[in-house]
Each structure stands twice: as structure tokens, then as C-alpha cells.
Amino acid sequence: MKLPPLNTLRVFDAAARHQAFGKAAEELHVTHGAVSRQIRLLEEALGMTLFERRNRAVFLTDAGRQLFDVTRTLFEQLSAGLAKLRQPAADAPLVLSCEPTIAMMWLIPRLPDFQREHPAVQVHLYAAGGPVDFTAQGVDVALRRNDFEWDTALHAERVCEEWTGPVRRPGLSGGGAATDDWLGAPALGSATRPQAWKDWSRAAGLKPPRVAGPTYEHFYLSLQAATAGLGVAIGSALMACDAVRDRRLEAPCGFVRDGSAYVLLSPRSCTEDARAQAFLQWLRREAAASLRAVAAGGTPGEA
């Protein structure tokens, strides 16, 4: 017997599972009419009625129920087989795309700890920000701040909230009183986070420095400039935590939530990839520990 077109069977399986052409259309991202046409083509090819249409509802016939038993098993086996094919080899490296500043100032210093905990998982780091083409770039997971829109087909796992606050070199004075002398120092900006000072000011309910300083091309350059004593920059608590701990920077107002968060993006669920799942769990733990350390540092901010 000549088999009917595979797409008609796929559409039938979705319609049979939902017992509704409309829901099948939503799942398959096609129109209700397209589902009806595919079902009609399948019924004509088989020479039998698969659905009864009554009062704008559809019900499987005896033949439809028999066929659904076949297609349900067929597509479940196909899905399982494809998932197994896509499962990476146990020794394949985990290719990570990460925003440059958090990679340099927070992630890389901690990666040796991950490697000691998971010696079988080698992380290959690719520095980049914003949208990522997982297929073209050969990337498995991407660590990003959720300040842009990504494909809704991607899986997004929340890692931690973003906390920000002014940071400066210890002892840098703007000429004011001891409690607010940082307000007289130049406010350093960055092209990659042009609203950082406004966002912090609104979240903290405090005024930014009175003097505008230079704007740097990247966020990490503004933090390096602050470390060099060129002014006061808005720092991410994650990115600044090591420098604050080592007294290369200080946070005169502490840190507050800015409303954004860090997420781990991937084209499929991390639960389907043991390497990605291990990395996600480690990321969450390390981020929480870093934020706790900043909060325990004695700064007067909310963090």
C-alpha cells in the first residue's frame, strides 16, 4: 500500500491528541483551514472518515482511533530517536557564549572550580553579547543579561538577578563630605549600558554624581577606569565583587536590584544535556555566593 504524505499523518496526530483542529493549528503554527485540508487529504488517501464533525467539534471515528494508536507510537519513537541522535557525546566540550565583561571579571576566575568539580566537562568559551545563532556559531549555551528579545523557541533558565551600584577606587574623593564625597567625582559611562546611571538612580532613589565623565565603549572599560581612579562607574555586583573583596574598588552606596537578570539560553532544555545542567546548577550556586559575599561586605546598600 502506498503511504499517505507524512505531513498529513503529523497533522492528524496533533488533531487527534487535542481532539480539536484549532489547537492542532496552534501547535503546528498553521491556520485552522490548513489543518482541515490536510485531514481531508489523508481521509481521501485512505478512503475512510477519521473524524466526525458535529456542532463545530470533532470526534475520532473507530478508524481514527485505530490510526491514532499507530501515529502516537510512531511519533513518540521518532521524537525519542531524534533526541538520542542530538545528545552530544559525553566527552564533547560545552561551548559557552558569554558577555565579555562578565566573562573576564567574574566567570573566568571561577571556571577552574567548575573544572575541578566536573573534570569530564570541558568548557569552551566564546565571548559575545546580544542575540546568538546557536547553529551557525556551534554554541551549546549562552549566558546573557535579559536586556534584549530572543527567539521564543529558545529555553531560558534564570541564573540570578542583576544588582548595580556606584563603584570607585578606595580613597577617591570628589571633594564633598565624607558620606557623599563620591558625588563630586566624574560619572563614568559606557556605550553598552547607556542608561546605567539613570536606572540605578531610579532604583536606589539617589542622585548620580554632579559631574559627567567620559563614556567608554564597553562596560568593562568603565569599570577599569574606575579602578584606575578616573571617576565613579556603575558596577554590576557580580562583576565588581572580586575587586570589592580585594579592595581595588569600593561601593559607597552598596548595590540595588536594577530589574534585569542573567539567564542561560539554549536551543533545547538543559535537562536534555547533562553538561549544560551541571553548568547551570554551578552558575546559580556561584552567583548566589558572590551576591552574598558582596552583601556581607559591610556596604550600606540594599544588597
Side-chain angles (χ1 to χ4, degrees):
M1 176 183 175
K2 182 180 178 181
L3 291 176
L6 181 60
N7 192 53
T8 63
L9 293 173
R10 176 169 169 262
V11 172
F12 165 80
D13 185 74
R17 272 189 289 106
H18 292 294
Q19 291 283 290
F21 288 3
K23 290 183 179 180
E26 291 178 9
E27 176 185 320
L28 300 172
H29 303 290
V30 298
T31 65
H32 185 285
V35 171
S36 296
R37 284 192 296 274
Q38 291 296 314
I39 297 298
R40 191 161 53 249
L41 285 174
L42 180 60
E43 290 177 327
E44 291 173 356
L46 297 176
M48 59 186 68
T49 301
L50 302 173
F51 288 96
E52 291 181 16
R53 285 82 165 171
R54 300 197 306 265
N55 300 324
R56 296 185 179 181
V58 294
F59 304 89
L60 284 169
T61 63
D62 288 341
R65 282 190 288 272
Q66 291 181 49
L67 180 59
F68 182 43
D69 288 339
V70 174
T71 60
R72 178 170 49 194
T73 301
L74 170 67
F75 286 107
E76 285 177 354
Q77 291 179 344
L78 181 60
S79 178
L82 291 175
K84 187 175 181 180
L85 282 174
R86 286 198 288 263
Q87 188 68 245
D91 59 350
L94 180 70
V95 182
L96 165 69
S97 174
C98 182
E99 294 182 348
T101 306
I102 197 168
M104 290 187 294
M105 303 191 73
W106 183 78
L107 180 63
I108 290 176
R110 287 163 176 76
L111 274 181
D113 293 333
F114 177 79
Q115 299 291 189
R116 281 191 291 270
E117 288 185 27
H118 303 277
V121 181
Q122 295 297 314
V123 177
H124 287 190
L125 184 61
Y126 175 77
V132 55
D133 188 331
F134 288 87
T135 301
Q137 297 171 359
V139 171
D140 295 308
V141 291
L143 182 59
R144 294 287 191 272
R145 193 165 65 97
N146 61 348
D147 58 350
F148 67 98
E149 294 185 2
W150 53 77
D151 190 332
T152 56
L154 294 177
H155 293 266
E157 294 285 355
R158 192 180 183 91
V159 175
C160 69
E161 293 179 312
E162 173 71 301
W163 295 70
T164 63
V167 292
R168 65 175 181 180
R169 186 176 70 183
L172 177 69
S173 173
T179 57
D180 65 357
D181 62 353
W182 65 276
L183 290 172
L188 307 177
S190 69
T192 50
R193 293 202 191 185
Q195 301 298 315
W197 275 108
K198 288 183 179 179
D199 292 343
W200 169 81
S201 181
R202 182 173 56 251
L206 298 173
K207 293 181 179 180
R210 295 181 292 270
V211 181
T215 295
Y216 294 87
E217 184 179 0
H218 292 290
F219 195 51
Y220 67 85
L221 292 178
S222 67
L223 295 178
Q224 287 297 105
T227 305
L230 296 177
V232 183
I234 285 294
S236 160
L238 278 188
M239 299 173 193
C241 63
D242 291 345
V244 171
R245 179 197 62 201
D246 299 339
R247 298 294 298 162
R248 289 177 284 119
L249 285 174
E250 64 181 7
C253 301
F255 298 91
V256 295
R257 294 181 182 91
D258 78 348
S260 66
Y262 290 100
V263 295
L264 192 68
L265 300 174
S266 57
R268 58 199 181 103
S269 172
C270 289
T271 58
E272 299 177 16
D273 186 339
R275 307 165 308 158
Q277 184 68 8
F279 187 70
L280 172 62
Q281 293 174 349
W282 176 83
L283 270 181
R284 286 172 169 164
R285 191 186 71 214
E286 287 297 315
S290 294
L291 293 176
R292 284 196 303 269
V294 168
T299 53
E302 184 184 344

